[in-house]
Every structure is written in C-alpha cells, then in structure tokens.
Amino acid sequence: MRDHDTGDGTDWTALRARFHLPEGLIYLDGNSLGPMPRAVPERVRRTVEDEWGGMLIRGWNDAGWMDWPARLGDRIGRLIGAPAGSTMVGDTLSIKVWQALDAALRLWPERRVILSDSGNFPSDLYMAEGLIAALGRGHELRVVAPEAVADSIDADVAVLMLTQVDYRTGRLHDMTALTARVHAAGALAIWDLAHSAGALEIDVTAADADFAVGCTYKYLNAGPGAPAFIHVRPDLHDLIEPALSGWLGHAAPFAFDPAYRPGPGIARMRVGTPPVLQLAALEAALDIWDDVDMADLRVRSLALSERFVRAVGARCPDLVPALPPDIPRGSQVSFRHPEGYAVMQALIARGVIGDFRAPDILRFGFTPLFIGEAEVDAAVAILADILETAAWDTPEFRARKAVT
C-alpha cells in the first residue's frame, strides 16, 4: 500500500522500509507515538547484553553512557536549528518545562505574568500552576485564545510559554514573529516543540528562541517513555540558576561536593541519571534523520494532509474541521464530531489508527517517513464507510478506555 512516486529528492519508500509496522495497518498516529524503527531492537539488545551485561558499571565510561545526553542533544539540535552545545536530553517533558519556566522567571524577577494560550498542552499549564504555587511570589498564569496571543503581549509579561503546534487542532504558531514581539516587550519566550520537532522545519536560532523543550517519542520515534530535551539560547547558559539542581547538573558530579555548583553551559540543565536503555533506542531512531531533508518532509507532509482534508470534505460531511483553512498547521489534521470517540474506535477496529482528544476531536497525523498517498486514500474510504453506515454506534465503541 506504499507509493513509490516521491515527487522530490527524498526516497520515501526507502525510509518507510526502516520502520516496523504491522501488515495492513494504516498508522496516522505518529504524532502521538511514533512507530518503532527496525534498528531499535538490535541497538537496545547490544546495550542490554553487551554493554550492561558485559561491562556492568564500566558502561558509563567504556560505552559512553554518561555522554549520551549531550551527544544526542546535539543530534536533536540539528533538527531544530540549534547550535552544538545548546541542547540536552533527559528527564521528562514536564520536568523540562518546569526548568525552562523557572529559569526564565528568575531572569526577569520584576515581572509576574506567564502568558500562554488555551491550545497549550495541559501539562505545561499544570506545571506553570505548580511552579507559581511553589514560588509564592504572586505570579499569574494568563491564558488567552490562540488568536489573541500576539495582542496580549504587554509590559507585564515575563514569559511567553507556547506549544508551537496545538495538540488538538494542529494550529501552527509563528515562532519567529511571536518571539520578536515578546523580545520587543522585554520578555522571554519558551517554545514546546513536542508536536513540531521531526514534523516540520524549525530554526530556533533564526527565531531567537530563548528556550525550547520537546519530547522524543512522537515524530522522533524513540519509543514510549522516551526522554525529553531542552534547548537554551547560548548567551543565557551561564545566567541560569537551576532550581532543580540535580547531581548530574553539578560542575563536578564526582567531586561529591556538599554544596551545588552549576555545571558549565547547557550541562547545568541535567537533572537525573540518564535513562540508558531509552537513550539507546533514541540513538537508533535518530540515525534515520541523517537521511531526511526537512524541507522535503514539510512539503510532503502538507501535500498528504491536504489530500486527506479534501477527500474528507467531499465524502464525510458530518465531520467539521477543527481549524479554519486559512490557519497554518503542523503535520496533523483534526475534525470534530459529537461522537468522535466512538468514530475513532470504529476506525481503529478497521485498521486505521488515529486518536481522540476531548471533547470531540478526531486527530490524524501525517508522517511522510511511513505514510503515502495510498494510505491516505484508503483511510478516507474506511472513514466514509463508517460514517455512512453508522458503524460507530455500538456499546463497544462508546466504552471509554484509559488512553484515548
């Protein structure tokens, strides 16, 4: 079911062959959990058996485990336009959001407003609320509609904290324009790239982004629970005073000093012990990106998603686009339906995997690394049949599972 006609300089068929996907499955959920690259099992096996099994604790030195967060951070940095030595991998995305937000607020202590939008991922907002309570200094989380963000940036704002691509609708914020507006107001910008890293061209350097965070289990395909990353603009590195002053962010971890001294540069953003087995999977997954042209990826992603939107518009009148057609989007398409959950369960039962986001959104991701025109057309045909026949209207498909 794979197309061989690429229409550009990237061999999408060869890239598709580097992923393990069950036969007959149409996977439109790489924006939530990427599929497994075929190289991952062998790389993890080598880490488990040869390195952990054979080297034991010597693996930290002999297998280079201790250096992986910085080395893999640089490989991710290349995908987001970050210079070497400015991106670090480790911990969870929520932890990285906390680190970035706390660091930014410390740099602008005279201001009290954290500005975000209602399309931000809830966990980011939860972390902001928790940090505000922990600091106890009267900070305010101000949440506005996505279209109101630019006009809400004023002299009270200390930090703008946004997810570049709205996890529900797919709306794409203009990182460069909004960051420039934030800087003109004397504030800082934190960008969550969870739904854009590996999905589109990003240049945090050209955008002059102060902080960027993201995960590696979506478009970067490093597996469930894979670690997050954080990027900090290089001129801010030595100004940051980490609140999460973890052992591995110390200037000399193995000196075992009783007091914390922040490490040099981005190293101070390390917190906990590197998750070695997950980093092994991430290393294998990142190898694929050495053969991906991000400009080609973006062009093809938009072509596939537009093909889907046109076909759904023609064949599925009961579905309402979650985003107006004139608004830029990332690599996902979302539609609203009052029985969206049941419709999605019926789709999954027919071998088309997307996901559902409350209250009524069916969400589909378009990742050219393993999706082509044939999959798009087949998915629309199955979706149209489910809606035309009301195949979704069963107790089985209405029963909510723990993960939607």
Side-chain angles (χ1 to χ4, degrees):
M1 190 180 280
R2 180 65 188 172
D3 311 278
H4 294 277
D5 179 19
T6 64
D8 51 47
T10 300
D11 188 344
W12 302 111
T13 302
L15 288 168
R16 167 65 177 83
R18 296 173 72 172
F19 288 90
H20 172 80
L21 284 167
E23 188 66 30
L25 194 72
I26 301 174
Y27 195 63
L28 303 180
D29 208 13
N31 55 310
S32 190
L33 175 66
M36 185 181 71
R38 292 186 182 275
V40 164
E42 171 57 24
R43 183 65 188 90
V44 173
R45 183 211 62 77
R46 191 165 77 244
T47 301
V48 171
E49 296 182 5
D50 300 344
E51 296 173 4
W52 179 19
M55 299 177 187
L56 296 170
I57 199 169
R58 293 173 297 174
W60 290 108
N61 292 316
D62 296 352
W65 295 342
M66 191 60 75
D67 299 329
W68 274 3
R71 184 162 53 83
L72 297 181
D74 281 345
R75 295 185 69 182
I76 292 172
R78 183 184 68 81
L79 299 177
I80 64 171
S86 67
T87 307
M88 185 65 67
V89 173
D91 313 301
T92 68
L93 181 51
S94 292
I95 293 297
K96 293 310 178 195
V97 168
W98 181 288
Q99 282 187 288
L101 187 55
D102 178 82
L105 292 177
R106 286 170 184 258
L107 289 171
W108 259 248
E110 72 280 3
R111 296 195 182 190
R112 292 289 182 268
V113 173
I114 301 165
L115 178 64
S116 191
D117 77 338
S118 56
N120 204 348
F121 194 70
S123 182
D124 291 15
L125 302 179
Y126 302 160
M127 297 307 288
E129 290 173 346
L131 179 60
I132 287 170
L135 292 175
R137 297 205 303 266
H139 288 92
E140 171 195 348
L141 175 60
R142 186 175 296 169
V143 179
V144 301
E147 58 272 16
V149 169
D151 291 338
S152 300
I153 299 170
D154 58 28
D156 294 327
V157 172
V159 181
L160 173 67
M161 180 183 69
L162 291 177
T163 297
Q164 188 183 16
V165 173
D166 187 315
Y167 78 103
R168 285 176 299 188
T169 66
R171 173 190 288 266
L172 173 64
H173 281 298
D174 188 331
M175 182 191 296
T176 299
L178 287 174
T179 301
R181 191 151 182 160
V182 165
H183 288 171
L188 295 171
I190 299 171
W191 289 96
D192 185 336
L193 309 180
H195 289 271
S196 49
L200 49 91
E201 291 180 281
I202 302 171
D203 193 335
V204 294
T205 299
D208 203 23
D210 304 295
F211 299 85
V213 297
C215 59
T216 62
Y217 52 81
K218 299 182 189 295
Y219 293 102
L220 298 181
N221 311 300
F229 64 86
I230 185 168
H231 159 77
V232 182
R233 205 178 73 212
D235 62 296
L236 297 177
H237 287 180
D238 292 335
L239 302 178
I240 292 171
E241 300 175 8
L244 295 176
S245 45
W247 174 45
L248 291 178
H250 193 281
F254 287 89
F256 300 106
D257 292 340
Y260 180 78
R261 291 183 291 118
I266 195 66
R268 66 185 56 194
M269 302 309 277
R270 294 181 69 163
V271 181
T273 301
V276 170
L277 302 185
Q278 287 282 184
L279 290 175
L282 174 59
E283 182 178 56
L286 289 175
D287 288 345
I288 292 175
W289 294 96
D290 293 339
D291 299 320
V292 177
D293 181 283
M294 295 305 293
D296 285 353
L297 181 93
R298 179 61 170 161
V299 169
R300 185 149 175 82
S301 169
L302 289 175
L304 292 172
S305 58
E306 285 298 329
R307 185 184 186 98
F308 186 78
V309 168
R310 287 195 302 270
V312 168
R315 300 191 59 181
C316 306
D318 291 343
L319 296 184
V320 177
L323 194 66
D326 59 332
I327 302 296
R329 64 167 169 261
S331 290
Q332 72 182 59
V333 174
S334 298
F335 293 93
R336 297 186 185 277
H337 188 282
E339 297 289 346
Y341 180 82
V343 174
M344 182 56 70
Q345 293 307 303
L347 263 175
I348 292 171
R350 293 274 297 271
V352 179
I353 298 185
D355 61 21
F356 170 81
R357 290 295 176 261
D360 59 357
I361 285 182
L362 295 96
R363 190 174 70 159
F364 304 92
F366 294 89
T367 307
L369 300 186
F370 51 86
I371 291 295
E373 286 87 350
E375 287 93 345
V376 169
D377 295 346
V380 173
I382 294 170
L383 176 59
D385 181 69
I386 287 170
L387 291 169
E388 289 166 5
T389 63
W392 54 267
D393 193 7
T394 70
E396 174 191 1
F397 295 144
R398 291 177 183 275
R400 294 290 178 105
K401 299 179 180 178
V403 177
T404 64

